[in-house]
Amino acid sequence: MEIQFVIDQLEEVAQKIISANPNKVILFHGEMGVGKTTLIKQLCKVLGVKSATSSPTFSLVNEYEATNNQLVYHFDFYRLNQETEALDMGIDDYLYSGNWCFIEWAEKIPNLIPEAHSTISISILDDGKRSLTLN
């Protein structure tokens, strides 16, 4: 799926992503400031998360409860130095839990990503719109 959008259309974009039935482990790729965290916040909202969401840059993972007692995990591995740090925090338990796992900076843990995952790539176009690809 490929979408071009402006930030005001994020709710619609998030609904399209969830409706596309992606794998529950989703890797987010894009330059810093492109809107990965903002999109993840909107995905959480679409999934029924009522609590405030924020970037887990320092904690590495935030956990949210969505509707139907579903759990959503949001990872930010930007500050990770080695894959072993992710193993030490129990990343396997999260990734194979069957819950939603949204992962920013997944390139820091390439050997730990489950085979069954989806990828969202976001870039900013010259006109300021975002281009999103879901694979």
Side-chain angles (χ1 to χ4, degrees), residues 19-79:
S19 295
N21 198 28
N23 289 299
K24 285 196 168 182
V25 174
I26 304 178
L27 316 182
F28 290 77
H29 296 289
E31 297 295 320
M32 192 171 294
V34 77
K36 297 181 298 291
T37 300
T38 305
L39 176 58
I40 290 170
K41 288 179 181 183
Q42 193 62 53
L43 287 166
C44 288
K45 184 177 176 184
V46 167
L47 290 170
V49 172
K50 302 292 185 209
S51 60
T53 57
S54 63
S55 176
T57 302
F58 295 100
S59 61
L60 298 181
V61 62
N62 286 344
E63 179 180 320
Y64 306 109
E65 188 172 329
T67 53
N68 300 326
N69 296 319
Q70 251 185 139
L71 294 177
V72 178
Y73 300 113
H74 177 191
F75 300 89
D76 184 335
F77 291 128
Y78 180 74
R79 298 192 181 282

Side-chain angles (χ1 to χ4, degrees), residues 84-95:
T84 54
E85 293 174 67
L87 287 171
D88 291 345
M89 69 173 282
I91 188 73
D92 287 343
D93 292 336
Y94 293 104
L95 296 180

Side-chain angles (χ1 to χ4, degrees), residues 23-27 95 99-101 103 113-114 116-119:
N23 289 299
K24 285 196 168 182
V25 174
I26 304 178
L27 316 182
L95 296 180
N99 295 305
W100 289 99
C101 293
I103 306 172
I113 301 299
H117 69 272
S118 295
T119 302

